[in-house]
Amino acid sequence: MASTVKVWDSPVRLFHWSLAGSVALCWLTADELQSLHEVAGYAAAGLIGLRLALGMAGTRYARFSQFIRSPKRTLHYAGEVLRHKEPRYLGHNPLGAAMVVLLLSMVGGVALTGWMQTTDAYWGVEWVEETHEVLAQLLLGAIALHVAGVIHASLRHSENLSLAMITGRKRAPASGDVL
């Protein structure tokens, strides 16, 4: 069995799966169970706050400074992916990092507009409701892209990234891998 290294710590993994569960629960309860929908939305908002803290002061691979790349570097990496010449990253690759930022922003926007609908100032305001619904639908598309990216990277680099987000471990780095 190939040696492995710890990449994702428990708080990152707990955040990831808790956010996935909260978003799924929000989606499932959107039209029927409003109180559960709101609780799940507040949980998602709190989880975004936790991830922002981990991104600033967490362990090495949790920190935004470790994995967020410039737009130029991200586009270069996308070209490498299209040519099937992308290196394996031990942490997030540049496209994965862009997806992290997108998903955090989108869940934050959905949570914000959901909360706004519970306030006296914005209750019943059409643009707030419509923005909430549009962001939620766009979030589903982003989640589908995220899952497709995980599957693609898993196949390209012969490692199960979903399992790594459960165990926290990935295959030890090899020559040419980006640490």
Side-chain angles (χ1 to χ4, degrees):
M1 181 171 147
S3 66
T4 62
V5 293
K6 189 76 160 186
V7 176
W8 309 121
D9 63 8
S10 295
V12 167
R13 296 186 337 259
L14 184 61
F15 156 79
H16 179 273
W17 295 114
S18 296
L19 185 64
S22 295
V23 169
L25 189 56
C26 283
W27 182 73
L28 290 170
T29 60
D31 296 323
E32 302 300 323
L33 302 168
Q34 193 59 37
S35 60
L36 186 54
H37 179 80
E38 289 178 15
V39 168
Y42 287 126
L47 288 163
I48 295 298
L50 170 65
R51 186 61 182 95
L52 293 175
L54 292 171
M56 301 302 289
T59 57
R60 177 180 180 184
Y61 291 104
R63 288 180 184 247
F64 299 135
S65 61
Q66 191 280 328
F67 65 86
I68 295 180
R69 307 284 194 256
S70 70
K72 181 179 178 180
R73 176 68 193 112
T74 303
L75 289 173
H76 176 75
Y77 179 81
E80 291 176 315
V81 169
L82 291 173
R83 290 186 302 280
H84 302 287
K85 295 185 183 289
E86 76 277 12
R88 173 182 176 257
Y89 279 71
L90 195 57
H92 287 96
N93 66 51
L95 287 175
M99 184 55 73
V100 168
V101 172
L102 178 65
L103 290 171
L104 292 176
S105 300
M106 292 185 82
V107 172
V110 173
L112 176 63
T113 55
W115 169 77
M116 288 171 68
Q117 291 179 70
T118 69
T119 66
D120 290 340
Y122 293 101
W123 187 83
V125 175
E126 192 171 331
W127 73 263
V128 176
E129 292 176 13
E130 289 176 3
T131 301
H132 183 74
E133 290 176 15
V134 166
L135 283 175
Q137 293 300 317
L138 291 172
L139 177 60
L140 292 178
I143 291 168
L145 283 175
H146 170 61
V147 170
V150 167
I151 292 169
H152 178 268
S154 292
L155 293 172
R156 286 283 300 137
H157 300 293
S158 301
E159 68 183 338
N160 186 334
L161 294 180
S162 296
L163 182 61
M165 192 50 75
I166 293 170
T167 66
R169 303 191 74 80
K170 291 180 77 175
R171 187 177 71 245
S175 177
D177 288 352
V178 179
L179 304 179

